[in-house]
Amino acid sequence: MRRGDQPRWLGFCGSALLATATVAGSLGTPRWFTGSAALPLAVGVGGMGLVVLAWALLGRLVLASGDIAPGPRALRSTFLLWAAPLLVVPPLFSGDAHSYLAQGEIAARGLDPYAVGPNEGLGAAAKLTQSVSGYWRDAPSPYGPLFSGIQRLIAQLAGEQQAAAILLHRLIALAGVALLLWAVPRLAARAGVSAGVPLWLGVLNPLVLWHFVAGVHNDALMLGLMAAGTAIALSAVDETVQWWRLSLGVVVIALGADVKVPAVVALAVVGTALARRMGGRLWHLVLAGGAMVAAVAVVSAVVSAITGLGFGWLGTLGTSSQLNSWMAPTNWLGFLGGGIGSLFGLHLTQPTIGAGRIIGYAVIVCGLAVLIHRQLRGRIGDLQALGLMFAVVVVFGPVVQPWYLLWAVVPLAVCLPACRARTVLIGLVGVFAVLLPPLGGEAGELVLGYLGGLLILAVAAFAAHRSQPFRLAGPEPSRELQETRSARG
């Protein structure tokens, strides 16, 4: 068995274990397996840990480079192998997919998804409404007109078959992942690096498997369109500006923004790259930036007109920020202030969170301005600017979810050299991959589930350590060194 095959099949076993646990947990059978939520949760967490371990072991081979490193084709096939068991599971790690179904049904009934939530549009007793998290039952859709049109089409095609609707949404997410698999090697070529590390860190990582394949998040389509459009657009401003290719890339990025608005960050990078190609002066930046704004406005107007959904989505872009995300650093001061205030009978949580968010927005504006200036002057590359811009938006934004990290990971995976920053990024991916459990449960069940998962992972890690192929997963010594060692022996 080749060295790359051990982590490859270990990851498949972990993915299959996760899928088995979650399917059994959702079906409620057999009794011996699902008598307590802690048992399927432990098996699921153990499967997650095996995938993360396999990803790390595969990374040793990829980062080692040379003859032992798997190539892009092997990495793509490994991704397909790991993703295969997750294609049959119910949506994991969050209930956003159920919100997609409810919003699509609202639009299919001829109602405005940007004006009513599931409670009002479908009725509080409706099955679709009951499956939506209580946080969002009264909230209108926060997504762009392209995705709302897709939601409506899926609702019309699937009818009352929720399983079929989930499958169609998963196919949309997989289309986004396919765009990533197409775009990342082309972005790597532009950065002058081989595609191995970018594919391993940017696409093959557990966050993509958990939240794009299993979780069915529309961020997959947004990020896929953004990456593909960026690859096309930046290739058009290398030496001489190829206007048709640039226009195509800008349109594709704008379509990504019509799924979720953060994709517009890529237009800032493309506009700055165009301004630098035009001469790099301030008025070039203003001209190119105005063209990007006009392009996204025209594309959004066309999509809104074609779908017939209008421009109500412009008023609901902040819907997601209604949730006080515990992962968002801008909310931490509010939680701290609220806790201290409660000791004195004061209600300070929301006012303090509001102040923290204002500070966060100010930091985002200033941070983006600094990065655009540095990119315009050629002090940082286009892809580095894109990754850092997304990092600023995520860290200082009002809401942080584990899959938001991928907005920055994909471009940074392409451009970061072998340095401490890349090591930190790899560590963050590993940590964020295990932050959320695949299944819900009471506090005690979650604790027992994670302890059981750690036990499964410890056994697998011990077996991997004892395995000769894993222990020799680093670079092989050269033939000359082997001959020297043999002579000394």
Side-chain angles (χ1 to χ4, degrees):
M1 182 179 290
R2 293 174 301 177
R3 291 181 178 181
D5 288 341
Q6 287 89 6
R8 176 186 174 92
W9 290 106
L10 179 65
F12 173 76
C13 291
S15 185
L17 201 62
L18 172 61
T20 301
T22 53
V23 170
S26 64
L27 294 177
T29 55
R31 286 186 178 180
W32 66 266
F33 189 76
T34 58
S36 169
L39 184 55
L41 181 59
V43 176
V45 171
M48 291 168 56
L50 291 180
V51 174
V52 174
L53 175 62
W55 178 70
L57 292 170
L58 184 63
R60 291 184 62 187
L61 299 177
V62 175
L63 295 172
S65 68
D67 294 336
I68 66 170
R73 179 178 297 181
L75 292 173
R76 291 190 190 97
S77 65
T78 299
F79 175 83
L80 295 176
L81 182 68
W82 292 1
L86 302 177
L87 298 177
V88 298
V89 301
L92 301 181
F93 301 99
S94 86
D96 283 6
H98 299 292
S99 294
Y100 301 165
L101 301 188
Q103 292 157 3
E105 180 61 24
I106 290 172
R109 294 185 181 185
L111 302 175
D112 186 357
Y114 301 118
V116 300
N119 271 337
E120 183 179 352
L122 305 178
K127 185 177 180 180
L128 281 177
T129 301
Q130 292 296 315
S131 64
V132 175
S133 170
Y135 288 107
W136 310 120
R137 291 181 184 177
D138 293 309
S141 172
Y143 307 118
L146 176 60
F147 189 69
S148 292
I150 292 173
Q151 288 175 302
R152 181 178 62 190
L153 178 60
I154 289 177
Q156 292 169 341
L157 292 174
E160 297 182 357
Q161 302 297 320
Q162 290 192 35
I166 290 293
L167 175 61
L168 292 173
H169 273 288
R170 181 162 278 146
L171 291 177
I172 295 298
L174 291 175
V177 175
L179 287 172
L180 283 177
L181 289 170
W182 178 87
V184 166
R186 286 160 177 80
L187 292 173
R190 175 177 177 79
V193 299
S194 62
V197 173
L199 280 173
W200 168 76
L201 177 54
V203 185
L204 195 59
N205 73 68
L207 291 176
V208 171
L209 294 167
W210 297 170
H211 302 295
F212 288 0
V213 179
V216 203
H217 281 286
N218 59 3
D219 295 66
L221 182 59
M222 178 205 78
L223 195 55
L225 289 169
M226 185 276 293
T230 301
I232 296 170
L234 290 181
S235 68
V237 294
D238 283 332
E239 296 180 0
T240 60
V241 179
Q242 301 177 17
W243 293 104
W244 70 269
R245 184 185 292 272
L246 176 63
S247 300
L248 175 61
V250 169
V251 168
V252 174
I253 295 172
L255 290 175
D258 284 336
V259 175
K260 291 186 74 171
V261 75
V264 297
V265 171
L267 289 179
V269 171
V270 172
T272 305
L274 176 61
R276 190 174 70 247
R277 174 59 57 195
M278 294 167 63
R281 298 192 177 184
L282 181 60
W283 72 272
H284 292 135
L285 180 63
V286 173
L287 183 62
M292 296 299 114
V293 172
V296 73
V298 170
V299 171
S300 299
V302 171
V303 173
S304 298
I306 292 175
T307 59
L309 293 169
F311 294 91
W313 57 277
L314 292 172
T316 64
L317 295 177
T319 298
S320 299
S321 63
Q322 295 176 6
L323 178 66
N324 291 334
S325 171
W326 64 270
M327 294 186 194
T330 55
N331 293 341
W332 294 348
L333 183 61
F335 294 141
L336 178 61
I340 296 175
S342 65
L343 299 177
F344 302 95
L346 301 175
H347 301 285
L348 301 178
T349 302
Q350 285 305 129
T352 314
I353 285 179
R357 289 180 176 178
I358 292 174
I359 295 173
Y361 290 135
V363 172
I364 289 174
V365 171
C366 294
L368 294 184
V370 169
L371 291 170
I372 288 173
H373 178 265
R374 291 179 64 83
Q375 181 193 359
L376 184 66
R377 295 291 173 254
R379 296 173 186 169
I380 57 175
D382 300 331
L383 296 175
Q384 187 179 2
L386 180 61
L388 292 176
M389 286 183 189
F390 269 123
V392 170
V393 169
V394 171
V395 172
F396 295 100
V399 178
V400 175
Q401 300 288 4
W403 55 93
Y404 288 7
L405 185 67
L406 292 169
W407 303 354
V409 167
V410 170
L412 289 178
V414 172
C415 64
L416 282 182
C419 61
R420 181 177 297 179
R422 190 171 73 180
T423 303
V424 170
L425 187 64
I426 293 170
L428 284 174
V429 170
V431 171
F432 272 67
V434 296
L435 277 182
L436 296 182
L439 299 169
E442 302 295 332
E445 293 172 334
L446 290 174
V447 172
L448 290 175
Y450 267 91
L451 289 176
L454 287 174
L455 179 61
I456 294 173
L457 179 61
V459 173
F462 177 76
H465 177 73
R466 297 284 295 177
S467 171
Q468 181 76 3
F470 280 128
R471 286 189 286 121
L472 294 180
E476 291 182 335
S478 64
R479 179 177 297 179
E480 292 79 4
L481 182 58
Q482 292 180 20
E483 293 174 351
T484 301
R485 289 177 177 175
S486 298
R488 290 179 179 176

